[in-house]
Amino acid sequence: MSKDFPLSHEELTALVKKFPTPFYLYDEKGIRENMRHFTRAFSNFPAFREYFAVKALPNPYILKILKSEGCGGDCSSLPELMLCEKSGIAGDYVMFTSNDTPAAEFRYAYERGDIINLDDITHIDFLKEALGGKLPDTICFRYNPGPLKAGGNAIIGKPEEAKYGLTREQMIEAYARCKKEGVKKFGLHTMVASNELNPDFFADTARIVFELAAEVKEKTGVRIEFVDLGGGLGIPYRPGQQKVDLDYVSREIRKLYDKIIVPAGLDPLMICWECGRPITGPYGWLVTTAIHEKHIWRDYIGTDACMADLMRPGMYGAYHELTVSGKEDAPKDHVYDVTGSLCENCDKFAVQRELPEIDRGDLIIIHDAGAHGRAMGFNYNGKLRCGELLLREDGSVVEIRRKETVEDYFATLDFSGLDGFTA
């Protein structure tokens, strides 16, 4: 059974005449309904906020949609902070979680009242110096539980091998230090997984975070007012995989809340997430056209998109379901590698995939590309990244990012002195 796509073959064919492939298409209705479900699932806590991971889909139209659904933004760089600002997301609705951060970016976040989430204990002094000898009223610290948290994968790695966060001992010291420095409000953050489908993994993460929050209060007197459980919630890319049951995750975390947080005197405590993939991932598609076929030791279908548009399969060996528009019910009696034109052999959207017979001109839909898709694009080989379209709730389609042009690619080069340059 094919995965869902919001347009019929006829509607997609008509759209391609106006917006030639390749392009990303996002479904506003799907994103809104999905975010509302996420919010309802965690409504059993005193307060809840999702800080959408801007890195997953950094487009102001998407951010504005999510803002209207109550989301904040999780940022890792100055441009992401600016995107949130331009989208109307500001103040404590912005979580600035970065590492190896330049002083100027800390100042920018501080001046706008964004929450600064520090990644290392040495960053206390660095931040203080950047802000002219003071610290913000609110500070959050990122915790790395190391071997306490089993798991990890190729995307984020084992916690004890990751560059992120403070150790447990450093966390205690950091809160005590900042309390003496006059910081008034504290948060606690961790992020230890990516694309995880086991719901119990997230309950276990909450347990570790809750226990640390209670220990911090006991040893330092600091009352943690919000915990950010990070992201890492996966989506079912492959056939047969199941969605994470958010209601189950919420119930299990609530049990731990009542067992650990309430007796520790930390109730009410705001629960936060910084998910990207489970919010927009299933509601974005990369649409490309088959432009070549090749038959050597394998059969290949070449497309007008490439790894520069969607690098996850080439970078991680990630799986994305493919649908041939108009052939959803045709027998999958051919085996293809579906490729792009990059001069790298890993530039493949699918490897030895059973698909219907594909003809030149067929439209291929790459599913679950609404997060970490266009955002991870690049210009190697001089490739120009594709644009982005938004399917509005009324059925209209608007362009929310145009395709890159050759002029864009050359924009940072100075050709003015080239004629007089002697090599």
Side-chain angles (χ1 to χ4, degrees):
M1 182 177 179
S2 297
K3 286 203 171 195
D4 292 336
F5 183 68
L7 300 179
S8 68
H9 175 63
E10 292 72 24
E11 289 171 328
L12 181 59
T13 300
L15 183 63
V16 168
K17 291 179 180 178
K18 184 177 181 181
F19 298 105
T21 59
F23 57 74
Y24 276 87
L25 178 70
Y26 307 114
D27 179 12
E28 177 182 359
K29 181 181 179 181
I31 291 171
R32 286 189 181 277
E33 290 179 350
N34 191 38
M35 188 58 234
R36 289 168 188 171
H37 170 64
F38 201 97
T39 301
R40 284 194 300 271
F42 291 92
S43 62
N44 60 339
F45 291 94
F48 164 76
R49 184 171 297 159
E50 152 70 353
Y51 289 91
F52 178 72
V54 176
K55 66 182 179 182
L57 183 45
N59 189 294
Y61 290 82
I62 302 299
L63 295 180
K64 198 164 186 178
I65 288 170
L66 291 171
K67 176 184 181 293
S68 72
E69 297 296 337
C71 282
D74 174 70
C75 302
S76 301
S77 68
L78 177 60
E80 289 184 352
L81 290 171
M82 296 174 72
L83 269 177
C84 277
E85 187 177 1
K86 291 178 180 295
S87 306
I89 302 173
D92 62 5
Y93 274 78
V94 176
M95 183 77 68
F96 186 39
T97 302
S98 63
N99 65 94
D100 297 328
T101 309
E105 296 192 9
F106 276 139
R107 285 193 291 270
Y108 189 94
Y110 170 75
E111 289 166 0
R112 282 150 185 80
D114 303 336
I115 297 173
I116 295 176
N117 185 20
L118 293 180
D119 189 62
D120 189 69
I121 194 167
T122 64
H123 294 175
I124 298 172
D125 288 333
F126 186 89
L127 179 62
K128 186 176 178 180
E129 182 180 350
L131 301 183
K134 59 185 175 183
L135 289 172
D137 288 341
T138 300
I139 279 187
C140 186
F141 287 103
R142 179 170 183 165
Y143 176 45
N144 183 331
L148 288 176
K149 184 62 179 173
N153 53 33
I155 298 177
I156 202 168
K158 297 178 180 178
E160 63 266 35
E161 297 174 359
K163 67 175 181 175
Y164 309 109
L166 289 73
T167 67
R168 175 182 152 277
E169 293 77 11
Q170 289 174 335
M171 293 288 282
I172 302 296
E173 181 183 346
Y175 287 113
R177 163 82 187 280
C178 287
K179 179 184 178 183
K180 290 180 180 178
E181 294 276 357
V183 176
K184 298 180 177 62
K185 185 176 180 179
F186 295 91
L188 197 165
H189 166 277
T190 196
M191 173 73 177
V192 291
S194 184
N195 196 33
E196 176 60 56
L197 291 173
N198 178 4
D200 292 316
F201 184 97
F202 302 101
D204 184 59
T205 298
R207 175 188 60 79
I208 290 172
V209 171
F210 289 168
E211 288 176 349
L212 179 57
E215 184 180 3
V216 167
K217 182 172 183 291
E218 179 185 354
K219 291 184 176 179
T220 70
V222 168
R223 184 186 186 281
I224 303 296
E225 296 190 30
F226 63 92
V227 295
D228 186 334
L229 300 175
L233 286 161
I235 60 175
Y237 286 103
R238 292 179 178 272
Q241 290 181 328
Q242 299 298 314
K243 289 177 62 176
V244 175
D245 185 339
L246 294 178
D247 294 314
Y248 172 84
V249 171
S250 180
R251 288 195 302 270
E252 292 303 301
I253 293 177
R254 180 70 213 206
K255 292 176 186 176
L256 293 165
Y257 183 100
D258 292 337
K259 180 179 179 181
I260 302 169
I261 295 300
V262 173
L266 292 171
D267 180 47
L269 178 73
M270 177 182 278
I271 303 297
C272 306
W273 289 91
E274 57 179 57
C275 295
R277 191 189 319 269
I279 305 300
T280 59
Y283 304 101
W285 301 264
L286 175 58
V287 180
T288 181
T289 301
I291 59 174
H292 289 286
E293 60 179 300
K294 183 173 184 174
H295 307 281
I296 47 174
W297 290 275
R298 290 182 176 183
D299 292 336
Y300 295 89
I301 294 295
T303 69
D304 61 358
C306 73
M307 187 178 170
D309 298 306
L310 177 62
M311 71 185 298
R312 293 188 71 254
M315 183 177 184
Y316 301 129
Y319 181 97
H320 285 262
E321 188 78 351
L322 270 59
T323 299
V324 184
S325 184
K327 298 182 178 180
E328 291 85 356
D329 298 323
K332 296 181 178 181
D333 52 6
H334 287 63
V335 177
Y336 296 110
D337 281 13
V338 180
T339 68
S341 59
L342 203 71
C343 293
E344 297 287 342
N345 194 48
C346 61
D347 183 19
K348 297 180 178 182
F349 297 119
V351 176
Q352 294 295 277
R353 187 76 60 86
E354 294 181 356
L355 293 164
E357 182 176 14
I358 299 175
D359 300 305
R360 287 177 58 196
D362 279 350
L363 297 173
I364 299 175
I365 301 162
I366 303 177
H367 293 263
D368 299 313
H372 310 288
R374 174 60 171 73
M376 294 176 70
F378 55 91
N379 290 125
Y380 177 62
N381 253 180
K383 295 300 181 183
L384 305 175
R385 289 168 289 189
C386 66
E388 297 175 302
L389 308 177
L390 178 65
L391 175 63
R392 302 301 311 272
E393 290 187 288
D394 63 4
S396 63
V397 176
V398 294
E399 186 176 53
I400 58 174
R401 188 194 299 268
R402 64 166 174 79
K403 293 182 177 182
E404 288 184 333
T405 65
V406 172
E407 290 73 25
D408 294 326
Y409 181 75
F410 289 149
T412 56
L413 293 172
D414 183 2
F415 290 99
S416 62
L418 193 60
D419 290 342
F421 178 75
T422 302

